[in-house]
Amino acid sequence: MGLFRPYSRPGDADAAQPQDKAITDESTGKGAPTLSRREAEQARRERLHPTLSKAERRKRERRLSRERQDKSFADKESQPARVLLRNYVDSRWTFSEFSWPLLFVTMAAFLASAWWPPLAIYSSYGIYGVLLAVMLEVAYLWMGFKRMLAERYPDAPRKGMVMYMASRMVTMRRFRRPPAAVVRGTVI
C-alpha cells in the first residue's frame, strides 16, 4: 500500500504486475551518477548547438544552404503560372532546344577557319542566324503563351517569365529542371 496511490488489494493481478516487473527487470537503475544542473544544461546546449570543427561547420552550412535553396526552388517552381509555362514549352518541339549543338558546330567551324579563312565568315553568319532564330521563336511562343496566361491566370505576375521561357526552350529536354511533366504533342 502506497501513500499517494490508490489502495490495492494483495490479490489484485493488475496491481501486482508493475511491481513484479520492476523487481524482475534487471535493466532498471541508472548506472551513472546524476548530473549536476550545470552539467545537464551544458549537455542540453551541446545537443542544440554542437561545437563543430571548421570542416564540420562548413559541411553543415553547405547542407543547410542547399536545403534552403531546394525549398526556395520548390516554392518558386510550384507557382501555377510557371507550371503552365513549363507545360506549354515542354508540349512542343522547338528549334531552340537544338541551338546549343548547332552553336557548338558553328564555333568548331569558326576555329577550323585557320585552315580555310572564308569559313570564319560563314560560321559567324551561322552563329548570328541561330541566335536570331531562337529570339524569333521565343517571341512567337511568348505571344501565344501570354494569351493563354491571361485566360487562365489573369492576375499572375509576368515578371521574369520571358527569360524563364527562353531558358527553358534553349535547354535540351533531358537537362531541364524540373523535368518535363508532359509528353510532346499534348494539348495544354
Side-chain angles (χ1 to χ4, degrees):
M1 173 170 96
L3 185 60
F4 295 109
R5 61 181 173 182
Y7 175 74
S8 62
R9 291 184 217 128
D12 278 348
D14 295 335
Q17 251 180 352
Q19 292 173 353
D20 293 342
K21 184 178 180 187
I23 294 170
T24 58
D25 190 6
E26 295 176 2
S27 65
T28 58
K30 288 188 338 185
T34 303
L35 297 175
S36 69
R37 181 185 188 119
R38 183 178 188 180
E39 292 169 338
E41 286 176 354
Q42 187 176 6
R44 183 185 58 81
R45 272 194 232 107
E46 183 65 28
R47 281 192 309 271
L48 292 175
H49 305 289
T51 53
L52 303 171
S53 67
K54 282 186 177 182
E56 290 171 332
R57 191 170 351 139
R58 278 194 306 264
K59 189 175 181 180
R60 181 172 183 247
E61 286 172 1
R62 269 193 307 255
R63 181 180 52 82
L64 292 173
S65 174
R66 194 175 320 113
E67 288 173 1
R68 279 192 303 270
Q69 286 174 351
D70 289 344
K71 184 182 181 311
S72 170
F73 181 76
D75 291 345
K76 198 173 191 181
E77 294 301 315
S78 65
Q79 295 173 353
R82 282 187 174 251
V83 172
L84 181 66
L85 185 132
R86 280 197 307 271
N87 292 340
Y88 184 78
V89 170
D90 293 341
S91 67
R92 62 193 70 229
W93 286 93
T94 59
F95 170 79
S96 301
E97 64 186 284
F98 302 107
S99 63
W100 283 112
L102 287 172
L103 287 172
F104 182 74
V105 168
T106 54
M107 290 299 286
F110 190 78
L111 292 175
S113 67
W115 293 285
W116 191 50
L119 190 59
I121 296 169
Y122 300 129
S123 61
S124 64
Y125 286 146
I127 290 171
Y128 288 126
V130 169
L131 294 177
L132 181 66
V134 167
M135 288 191 302
L136 289 174
E137 186 178 35
V138 168
Y140 175 73
L141 285 180
W142 174 249
M143 287 189 288
F145 175 72
K146 199 166 49 170
R147 277 189 300 258
M148 182 184 290
L149 185 65
E151 290 171 7
R152 296 195 187 174
Y153 304 108
D155 297 333
R158 294 182 182 168
K159 184 176 180 182
M161 296 292 271
V162 176
M163 288 307 296
Y164 184 66
M165 176 184 250
S167 68
R168 185 84 178 174
M169 288 173 62
V170 169
T171 307
M172 286 186 279
R173 188 176 176 93
R174 75 170 55 182
F175 299 118
R176 291 176 182 167
R177 183 174 174 235
V182 295
V183 181
R184 291 185 205 259
T186 305
V187 178
I188 302 296

